[in-house]
Amino acid sequence: MPMRKLGRPTAHRNAMLRGLVTYLIEKGQLETTYTRAKEISALADKMITLGKDGSLAAYRAALAFITKESVAKKLFDTIAPAYANVNGGYTQVYKMGPRRGDGAETAIVRLVKVGGDTEKK
């Protein structure tokens, strides 16, 4: 699944990415390091593609990755239908510059707005 190791053991890395993707789908955007943002963007796009499928198998596959059932329901009921006519590119990654504490490159990952309001602000 993920291509980058992000300096963590496999189980920790997968749990971290699952939590960040869940948060992104729930809130609409998040701020993190640039390398994490690129991984989150790819995984979130895969979850939205599952949501567009709409089948029970796709819902169960999304639930296996997303950590909150309410977020999976939101993905299938509101977010995925908004991207029905879009083929990929559901997220954007914006570089924000270095973090003050350790100088790590930060970025904002955001769901792309399509027509209507796809995320809450």
Side-chain angles (χ1 to χ4, degrees), residues 34-104:
Y34 182 64
T35 53
R36 285 183 192 173
K38 290 197 290 187
E39 288 297 312
I40 294 164
S41 176
L43 293 171
D45 284 353
K46 289 179 184 179
M47 290 299 111
I48 293 173
T49 302
L50 280 176
K52 286 173 61 174
D53 181 11
S55 67
L56 180 61
Y59 185 75
R60 288 179 176 166
L63 270 178
F65 190 81
I66 295 172
T67 59
K68 293 182 182 176
E69 189 172 348
S70 61
V71 175
K73 184 160 177 50
K74 177 182 177 181
L75 172 67
F76 276 75
D77 292 345
T78 60
I79 295 174
Y83 295 110
N85 297 324
V86 180
N87 294 325
Y90 312 118
T91 56
Q92 294 176 332
V93 178
Y94 298 104
K95 281 191 175 181
M96 297 302 293
R99 190 163 49 196
R100 184 167 183 193
D102 60 358

Side-chain angles (χ1 to χ4, degrees), residues 83 90 92 110-119 121:
Y83 295 110
Y90 312 118
Q92 294 176 332
R110 178 178 297 166
L111 294 177
V112 175
K113 289 194 181 237
V114 179
D117 187 24
T118 57
E119 70 264 356
K121 288 236 172 176

Side-chain angles (χ1 to χ4, degrees), residues 6 10 12 23-24 38 44 48 58 72 76 85 88-89 93 106:
L6 302 173
T10 304
H12 184 185
Y23 186 84
L24 174 63
K38 290 197 290 187
I48 293 173
F76 276 75
N85 297 324
V93 178
T106 59

